[in-house]
Amino acid sequence: MAGPYTSLRASASSSNQNLASRLLFVLTVLPLSLAAFAFVLQWRGGVNEPMTRWSPENHQFPGMVSSAPTNPAHSLSSASSSDCAELLGRSSSLSFPYYRGWKFNYEADLRPKICITTSTSAGLEQILPWIFYHKVIGVSTFFLFVEGKAASPNVSAVLESISGVKVIYRTRELEEQQAKSRIWNETWLSSFFYKPCNYELFVKQSLNMEMGIVMARDAGMDWVIHLDTDELIHPASSREYSLRQLLLDVPGNVDMVIFPNYESSVEREDIKEPFSEVSLFKKNYDHLPKDTYFGMYKEATRGNPNYFLTYGNGKSAARVQNHLRPNGAHRWHNYMKTPNEIKLDEAAVLHYTYTKFSDLTSRRDRCGCKPTKEDVKRCFMLEFDRAAFIIASTATEEEMLQWYREHVVWTDKTLNMKLLRKGILTRIYAPMAIIQGLRESGVFSSVIASANTTLSKVKFLSSIESNNSSRTMGSETISSRKIGGGRESQATARKALGIAETTSFAAAVPPLPPPGMDDLHMQTL
């Protein structure tokens, strides 16, 4: 009986082995066959993979139809020969990154359009980082009123080569034009006329701002900002660290946006490039609890005349509209209405003031006042500027350095940490990172090299000729103090402008110090 059962088991085992062999064969051959089939189809152009279908070369985004007929064979042959050229020789003009070849007007398509107007005598080491930093955060146009070093041929040639930069030189023609301007013949700015140094600069800034408004309107700008070249806008709280986004979110009924200023707090006396080396700033009164501000006032002031070394009333951006006018270097106004303004809760202007030891002597060299407490009041509006001028004019180099360390440099790390914890001081790294990145990428050196090779001889000579009057020294120097000499009376000029003689405006807003302890005492009375 065992024989037949053994035979059956052997037969079944053999059958199972044959089935397993066939199954293994099928499982091996089937994937290979499918792979070969797919390869053949793809080689013949019959497979349209998703990655290929939505690639830029096919121009087949949803809702986008290419009008040009396509030829797969031609596409394949041309792709192989042009891929390297496309990658290595890609146009530097702006294009939509996912649709190669779809170029657009960068300046026209992005809103709002923002411009900055400034009056400067600085060199390229300061102006170039200042310009390109603000380009990064969304400023498209710059109106640079230049004199001194900024108006020299080598510097102005570079500035004129930068897209979006308009350079205006302080020539006699400009002075004569501004002598006929509306604000020169009004009373709200007149208390600053015919005074030297900072007062004279304040008048020049206001006159230049008036011209900047006209140029901003002609250029189709939406916002205009007056800023010095030692100041950077810090668009905190905005998405993508964008000034454009910040102003885009401003309600349409707002005419002016005020940026409270933060003041640099240098930690060394050997700073060379403030924008790249300074990260410590003192917050504005407007961004601090009142109890914290006044409670830490003495420690934050460190024996100086005020909480800030210089001004504390910030800067502002104005919506470009009819009847807009400057109201001093810090504010804007409107002839026909009181502007609706808002003050930003987080964004600020970073003021890099007295960041270099040489700033002491540079202010001394620009002003001809006597170094006495009475005479410096003719030159400077703020107490610290007056004290710094006297020290720079009377002390030795070593005494000046010691004074600078005591009054400007923040060397006490324990105090710094205490004020950081209280929120008086703050670390801000974004501008430093942006400008260091621009420098390392070669943007500044490239602009300088490009200007030296592309500026034509005719343009260069024209630049020199147009700058001659602004660079002349001694009795030939052009001064805003001479503007308006021999002109009609203010009343006659106002009539010519269609303004009633009885019209009057509040005085221009000067650079103001932050609140002091006297303000606290007045509030408590």
Side-chain angles (χ1 to χ4, degrees):
M1 295 297 294
Y5 286 112
T6 302
S7 177
L8 286 172
R9 283 198 300 270
S11 176
S13 175
S14 175
S15 176
N16 290 337
Q17 289 178 357
N18 291 335
L19 181 61
S21 299
R22 292 192 186 98
L23 184 59
L24 181 61
F25 176 81
V26 170
L27 292 175
T28 303
V29 172
L30 183 59
L32 294 174
S33 301
L34 291 174
F37 180 67
F39 175 81
V40 171
L41 288 179
Q42 186 176 19
W43 179 72
R44 296 181 59 190
V47 171
N48 190 4
E49 296 181 31
M51 288 298 292
T52 305
R53 181 185 178 193
W54 302 115
S55 67
E57 286 77 5
N58 279 313
H59 300 181
Q60 291 180 5
F61 284 107
M64 301 175 66
V65 180
S66 175
S67 58
T70 59
N71 185 331
H74 173 72
S75 299
L76 286 168
S77 62
S78 62
S80 61
S81 62
S82 63
D83 279 352
C84 289
E86 176 67 22
L87 289 171
L88 296 175
R90 187 171 296 168
S91 171
S92 60
S93 59
L94 292 167
S95 62
F96 188 67
Y98 300 106
Y99 185 52
R100 193 173 302 152
W102 179 24
K103 300 185 175 80
F104 60 92
N105 188 329
Y106 177 80
E107 302 298 345
D109 291 356
L110 295 180
R111 292 283 179 173
K113 297 179 74 175
I114 307 165
C115 68
I116 290 179
T117 177
T118 190
S119 305
T120 183
S121 59
L124 290 178
E125 73 284 351
Q126 180 171 316
I127 299 177
L128 285 184
W130 180 84
I131 288 176
F132 282 94
Y133 167 83
H134 287 106
K135 278 179 172 283
V136 167
I137 65 172
V139 178
S140 62
T141 305
F142 300 81
F143 301 119
L144 306 184
F145 291 82
V146 298
E147 52 186 310
K149 187 186 296 185
S152 64
N154 290 338
V155 174
S156 60
V158 175
L159 297 177
E160 288 185 347
S161 72
I162 302 172
S163 174
V165 173
K166 172 66 176 176
V167 180
I168 306 97
Y169 301 96
R170 190 151 202 86
T171 62
R172 282 189 172 80
E173 291 75 18
L174 177 68
E175 295 266 354
E176 290 171 0
Q177 185 177 355
Q178 290 184 338
K180 302 173 185 177
S181 75
R182 182 171 182 171
I183 66 174
W184 177 260
N185 294 289
E186 293 174 345
T187 59
W188 58 269
L189 188 62
S190 60
S191 62
F192 300 91
F193 291 168
Y194 308 112
K195 295 180 180 179
C197 206
N198 277 15
Y199 288 90
E200 181 180 354
L201 174 62
F202 188 78
V203 172
K204 285 181 181 179
Q205 289 173 327
S206 299
L207 292 167
N208 293 342
M209 289 167 70
E210 185 183 36
M211 296 187 71
I213 291 170
V214 176
M215 291 187 285
R217 186 177 61 239
D218 292 344
M221 296 291 112
D222 299 301
W223 291 91
V224 58
I225 304 171
H226 175 258
L227 211 63
D228 296 329
T229 51
D230 64 350
E231 298 170 327
L232 301 178
I233 294 179
H234 173 52
S237 79
S238 65
R239 296 192 297 274
E240 301 175 358
Y241 201 73
S242 167
L243 176 62
R244 180 180 285 114
Q245 188 62 54
L246 189 71
L247 294 179
L248 183 64
D249 294 337
V250 172
N253 65 334
V254 172
D255 304 305
M256 184 165 63
V257 175
I258 298 173
F259 294 82
N261 63 294
Y262 290 8
E263 191 173 80
S264 59
S265 301
V266 298
E267 300 169 86
R268 309 190 323 267
E269 71 265 17
D270 59 347
I271 298 292
K272 302 299 182 185
E273 298 175 348
F275 294 152
S276 298
E277 297 180 55
V278 177
S279 64
L280 187 64
F281 294 88
K282 190 187 291 185
K283 283 188 177 181
N284 193 285
Y285 168 80
D286 291 319
H287 285 180
L288 288 170
K290 184 173 68 173
D291 293 344
T292 300
Y293 177 85
F294 287 111
M296 303 296 297
Y297 187 88
K298 184 177 181 180
E299 291 174 280
T301 304
R302 300 190 311 156
N304 288 319
N306 202 270
Y307 173 81
F308 276 164
L309 302 182
T310 53
Y311 76 89
N313 54 332
K315 290 294 180 73
S316 57
R319 199 182 294 274
V320 178
Q321 54 187 291
N322 293 333
H323 312 296
L324 180 67
R325 72 161 172 85
N327 195 28
H330 296 258
R331 294 291 186 271
W332 306 86
H333 200 64
N334 193 295
Y335 282 109
M336 303 305 293
K337 64 178 180 179
T338 300
N340 181 23
E341 65 181 50
I342 61 171
K343 188 173 291 184
L344 298 174
D345 294 330
E346 295 183 58
V349 165
L350 306 180
H351 187 198
Y352 295 76
T353 186
Y354 287 99
T355 49
K356 295 186 288 187
F357 175 64
S358 60
D359 290 342
L360 287 180
T361 54
S362 66
R363 282 170 170 77
R364 176 198 65 193
D365 297 340
R366 289 201 305 265
C367 298
C369 289
K370 297 176 182 178
T372 64
K373 290 184 177 180
E374 287 302 317
D375 201 55
V376 291
K377 292 179 181 178
R378 296 189 307 112
C379 287
F380 302 99
M381 304 179 200
L382 299 171
E383 284 293 332
F384 187 85
D385 287 331
R386 296 169 183 172
F389 179 81
I390 292 174
I391 288 295
S393 303
T394 60
T396 65
E397 187 82 6
E398 184 56 37
E399 290 171 339
M400 276 194 293
L401 183 57
Q402 183 61 32
W403 186 91
Y404 183 75
R405 288 170 180 158
E406 292 175 356
H407 293 268
V408 181
V409 184
W410 291 72
T411 55
D412 188 338
K413 294 183 179 180
T414 303
L415 176 62
N416 295 355
M417 184 57 65
K418 181 178 180 179
L419 295 177
L420 279 165
R421 288 170 179 165
K422 291 289 186 179
I424 297 286
L425 296 178
T426 184
R427 291 283 182 187
I428 299 175
Y429 295 102
M432 175 189 293
I434 290 172
I435 290 174
Q436 284 179 341
L438 289 167
R439 181 175 286 109
E440 290 169 4
S441 68
V443 169
F444 307 144
S445 57
S446 175
V447 168
I448 295 172
S450 176
N452 290 338
T453 57
T454 60
L455 187 68
S456 68
K457 181 179 179 181
V458 174
K459 187 174 182 181
F460 185 75
L461 292 175
S462 175
S463 172
I464 295 175
E465 184 177 354
S466 67
N467 291 336
N468 278 340
S469 58
S470 66
R471 295 195 304 275
T472 306
M473 303 302 292
S475 61
E476 294 292 323
T477 301
I478 295 175
S479 168
S480 65
R481 284 170 283 173
K482 300 177 183 177
I483 297 179
R487 301 286 171 185
E488 297 176 317
S489 69
Q490 293 179 357
T492 305
R494 285 198 293 272
K495 284 180 180 178
L497 290 165
I499 305 173
E501 277 189 84
T502 56
T503 300
S504 62
F505 300 98
V509 178
L512 298 173
M517 295 305 293
D518 292 340
D519 298 283
L520 176 62
H521 295 153
M522 292 184 65
Q523 292 175 18
T524 57
L525 292 178

